[in-house]
Amino acid sequence: MTPYGRDLQQVEKELHEAQRERDRLGARIEGLKAQLEALRKLAQAPLVQGEEIQDLTKAEAIVRILQASHKPMTLGEIARAMTDAGKKTTSNGASVYIDALLKGGRVVRVQRGQYRAA
């Protein structure tokens, strides 16, 4: 075999390996895209459904929302979650309830402006 023949075989082998790697990466990319889309949908879903807090007071609804959250929440996040679930609330409105819930021991301040259920 000539030196060019060996080089040709080596290049063909490397090309085949590169194509296989491209196919594996393509499959991984498609899987990651599907995972990303699913997570985006979950992130946009309200923490609690309207029927879960419909008959609750706003204070009880705040506790329920904080219990459903996987992380501490700000007043703005609490107000958005309440509004998304059907109980229109502002940050200032949530603040009034948070103060009472803090005093009652149902909510704890994790750090300045961050709250979670007790």
Side-chain angles (χ1 to χ4, degrees):
M1 180 175 285
T2 68
Y4 295 120
R6 283 190 290 269
D7 289 345
L8 177 64
Q9 285 179 339
Q10 182 62 34
V11 169
E12 286 174 340
K13 179 182 175 186
E14 289 177 20
L15 176 62
H16 180 70
E17 289 172 4
Q19 288 170 331
R20 287 182 53 207
E21 181 66 19
R22 180 198 61 205
D23 293 344
R24 281 193 298 270
L25 285 173
R28 176 145 169 72
I29 288 169
E30 290 305 312
L32 288 171
K33 284 180 180 178
Q35 185 178 4
L36 178 64
E37 184 61 28
L39 288 172
R40 281 186 177 148
K41 287 179 183 176
L42 287 173
Q44 293 172 353
L47 286 175
V48 294
Q49 300 301 316
E51 58 272 3
E52 291 180 61
I53 65 169
Q54 186 175 18
D55 296 330
L56 302 178
T57 66
K58 284 192 176 181
E60 291 169 338
I62 288 172
V63 172
R64 182 74 53 91
I65 285 169
L66 288 172
Q67 289 170 337
S69 178
H70 65 283
K71 65 177 184 64
M73 297 176 74
T74 65
L75 291 173
E77 291 169 331
I78 293 167
R80 274 190 299 281
M82 294 265 299
T83 300
D84 289 348
K87 281 199 180 283
K88 187 166 173 52
T89 308
T90 64
S91 295
N92 290 338
S95 175
V96 172
Y97 293 100
I98 285 289
D99 287 338
L101 292 167
L102 284 166
K103 290 175 186 170
R106 298 187 65 202
V107 168
V108 294
R109 183 180 286 121
V110 177
Q111 63 184 21
R112 186 168 188 244
Q114 298 277 316
Y115 305 93
R116 68 172 174 78

